[in-house]
Amino acid sequence: MRRRVMAAFMCAIMTMSVIPVNADDTQVAKAQQEMESTVKTETTTEMSTQSTTKTEKKKTSRKKKAKITKKKISKDKNGKKSDNEEKVVPMPTQVISKSSTQAMERRISSKQAKIAKLRKEKAKIFKQMKLEAKKEETLKTFYEKYTANSKAEIALFGQEITPAMKISKKDEAMRDDLYELADLFGDKQLKTIAGKYVFGINHPDFETLLDKNDNFNLNQYLKNEKILPVKPMQQKIATINKKIKQLKKDISKENQTRYFNPNNVSLLSHITVDDAKQMLKGTALYADAKAYVKAEEKYHVNAVFLMGIAAHESAWGTSRRAREDNNLTGYGVTSDSAKGINKATKEEGLLTTAKTLHEKYLTAGGSYYAGTSAEDVNKHYCVGGEWAAAVVNDAYQLMNQL
């Protein structure tokens, strides 16, 4: 601006310098007026330009400020986090599987040893049953053979053998039969009786030979021989067979691969009760290890996922809700004053949660169904965006215990 004013001023001086010496006062005044007008115009124009520049700068500054504010608002809406927005943590999606671990192999070997022991016990019972059946049949045959005539009672009375007593062939045959009975029953005394007494089979005068003070009632003795009942043995074998069947089933399950898939928590984990105990050992959740397996088998909710929920929601079984309300899964607890699911036992609470997850969250058409991943369950189970990731990470930690 100064340059333009100075240029105008110099022009004015030059104009004045070219005014004729003989010019009159009117011409001089006119020249001065033109010079002042030119300077004034240049000054006004420059000030106007300066004012415009300042206005433009001010507008530009406002625009920039507006852009910055707009960008900040946009970031609040679309950025990772704003003051009024829940933090979202991405859920891990890795599928974990475990098979043929040392613990599993030990349990399989132990169960196989139990089966072998039970089979030996069963074989022993079968042998005993066979023996008792033979005892019963042999004794029955003996009675039919030696009590089939009118002298039956006399035939079962024995007289001690003397050197002068004649032993018939039939008496000798009866003695052999008594020896067989003695061996069958394991009765050493019966062997002595067989060798010491004669029973006068079909001897017409044997009754007169009997000494009333020195005879032996074989009938009374044989009635005391014990034949064990077979029915209890059959029941015991049935029980053993049931145990063997269960052990085989357990071994079959032990041979299955264990799974945790956070992308589909309705898939079975195939963990056993022993697995659950191993995974929860040292935590307050250990006492109800069996309930997680039961819930999976009954409602098709992955047991490891259910354990992960319990670990996260109850601080591994130590929370107030877990201790006072038996609520390990936090279901229904939307605030400190919310009642939630209060059950008589923790197992009942776990089964109720599993049933709800199956019917409402993991079955198409359920009121809260959004898919079968832990993240899908998160959408209605918990308002926080960190829940699925926390539960899945706890489930991973549990799988690492196998």
Side-chain angles (χ1 to χ4, degrees):
M1 176 180 173
R2 288 180 180 178
R3 290 177 180 177
R4 291 178 181 178
V5 171
M6 288 298 296
F9 183 74
M10 291 299 295
C11 289
I13 292 175
M14 289 175 66
T15 303
M16 290 178 64
S17 62
V18 295
I19 295 175
V21 176
N22 59 353
D24 57 14
D25 293 335
T26 303
Q27 288 176 323
V28 172
K30 187 176 180 180
Q32 288 177 343
Q33 285 179 358
E34 286 178 357
M35 182 189 69
E36 289 174 359
S37 177
T38 300
V39 172
K40 188 175 181 180
T41 300
E42 288 289 336
T43 302
T44 302
T45 301
E46 185 65 25
M47 288 177 66
S48 176
T49 301
Q50 188 176 15
S51 176
T52 300
T53 303
K54 285 182 179 181
T55 301
E56 286 176 355
K57 284 182 179 181
K58 195 171 183 181
K59 285 182 180 180
T60 302
S61 177
R62 284 178 182 174
K63 283 182 181 180
K64 284 183 179 179
K65 198 169 184 180
K67 284 181 181 179
I68 291 170
T69 304
K70 188 174 181 181
K71 186 177 181 181
K72 187 176 181 181
I73 293 171
S74 176
K75 185 177 182 180
D76 285 342
K77 288 182 180 180
N78 301 318
K80 290 183 179 179
K81 182 182 177 183
S82 68
D83 293 337
N84 298 321
E85 188 177 8
E86 290 290 343
K87 183 180 178 181
V88 177
V89 178
M91 180 196 80
T93 58
Q94 183 182 1
V95 178
I96 305 293
S97 64
K98 291 286 184 75
S99 62
S100 190
T101 66
Q102 289 184 351
M104 293 174 196
E105 292 300 327
R106 283 196 301 268
R107 291 198 295 266
I108 289 172
S109 296
S110 175
K111 288 175 173 60
Q112 287 173 337
K114 287 179 181 178
I115 289 174
K117 187 177 179 180
L118 286 168
R119 282 175 173 163
K120 285 182 179 179
E121 185 180 349
K122 188 169 76 167
K124 189 177 179 180
I125 295 172
F126 270 126
K127 187 177 180 180
Q128 186 67 41
M129 285 174 63
K130 189 176 180 180
L131 176 61
E132 300 307 321
K134 189 175 181 180
K135 283 180 184 179
E136 186 175 17
E137 184 62 30
T138 305
L139 193 58
K140 181 182 177 182
T141 302
F142 181 85
Y143 268 95
E144 288 176 351
K145 186 175 181 180
Y146 296 108
T147 61
N149 54 65
S150 59
K151 302 277 185 182
E153 288 298 322
I154 296 173
L156 294 178
F157 275 88
Q159 182 67 46
E160 191 171 347
I161 300 171
T162 64
M165 190 175 290
K166 187 178 179 180
I167 308 297
S168 68
K169 290 183 178 180
K170 289 185 178 180
D171 280 322
E172 289 178 353
M174 184 178 182
R175 180 181 297 163
D176 291 338
D177 289 340
L178 285 173
Y179 282 146
E180 184 182 349
L181 282 174
D183 289 336
L184 195 59
F185 283 90
D187 189 343
K188 291 181 180 180
Q189 188 177 351
L190 185 56
K191 274 189 175 183
T192 303
I193 291 167
K196 186 178 181 180
Y197 292 89
V198 64
F199 295 91
I201 301 303
N202 294 329
H203 194 293
D205 299 320
F206 189 72
E207 187 175 359
T208 61
L209 298 174
L210 287 173
D211 183 351
K212 302 296 182 183
N213 298 317
D214 190 15
N215 62 60
F216 179 78
N217 190 335
L218 182 61
N219 181 55
Q220 189 63 44
Y221 185 87
L222 293 177
K223 283 182 178 179
N224 292 325
E225 291 289 3
K226 291 182 179 178
I227 300 175
L228 300 176
V230 174
K231 190 173 181 180
M233 298 182 194
Q234 291 172 332
Q235 291 173 342
K236 194 169 183 179
I237 285 176
T239 301
I240 290 174
N241 285 336
K242 190 175 180 180
K243 288 180 179 179
I244 291 175
K245 184 178 180 181
Q246 183 60 51
L247 285 167
K248 285 182 176 179
K249 184 179 179 182
D250 292 343
I251 290 173
S252 178
K253 191 166 186 179
E254 288 285 4
N255 284 320
Q256 290 182 310
T257 301
R258 279 55 160 177
Y259 288 102
F260 173 64
N261 183 355
N263 308 301
N264 189 347
V265 294
S266 66
L267 296 177
L268 302 185
S269 70
H270 299 302
I271 68 167
T272 65
V273 174
D274 288 329
D275 287 329
K277 287 179 178 179
Q278 183 178 336
M279 295 161 85
L280 297 172
K281 187 177 180 180
T283 75
L285 300 175
Y286 177 85
D288 295 286
K290 185 178 180 180
Y292 298 96
V293 179
K294 185 177 180 180
E296 175 175 291
E297 292 174 348
K298 192 170 183 179
Y299 297 113
H300 272 240
V301 177
N302 186 281
V304 182
F305 174 60
L306 196 59
M307 290 161 73
I309 293 176
H312 175 65
E313 291 288 347
S314 71
W316 297 91
T318 63
S319 70
R320 181 181 67 81
R321 293 282 185 171
R323 289 181 284 106
E324 297 178 6
D325 301 335
N326 292 320
N327 189 341
L328 291 171
T329 59
Y331 193 79
V333 182
T334 54
S335 65
D336 288 339
S337 60
K339 185 177 180 180
I341 51 168
N342 301 347
K343 298 296 178 180
T345 64
K346 290 181 175 65
E347 178 178 321
E348 192 177 345
L350 288 169
L351 291 173
T352 299
T353 300
K355 181 181 180 182
T356 304
L357 286 170
H358 171 69
E359 294 177 351
K360 296 185 178 181
Y361 290 79
L362 299 174
T363 301
S367 53
Y368 299 133
Y369 179 78
T372 57
S373 71
E375 199 167 42
D376 293 327
V377 173
N378 188 171
K379 293 174 183 177
H380 296 289
Y381 195 99
C382 180
V383 294
E386 304 175 36
W387 186 87
V391 168
V392 170
N393 281 321
D394 283 340
Y396 286 163
Q397 183 178 336
L398 288 161
M399 286 293 288
N400 287 334
Q401 299 303 312
L402 287 175

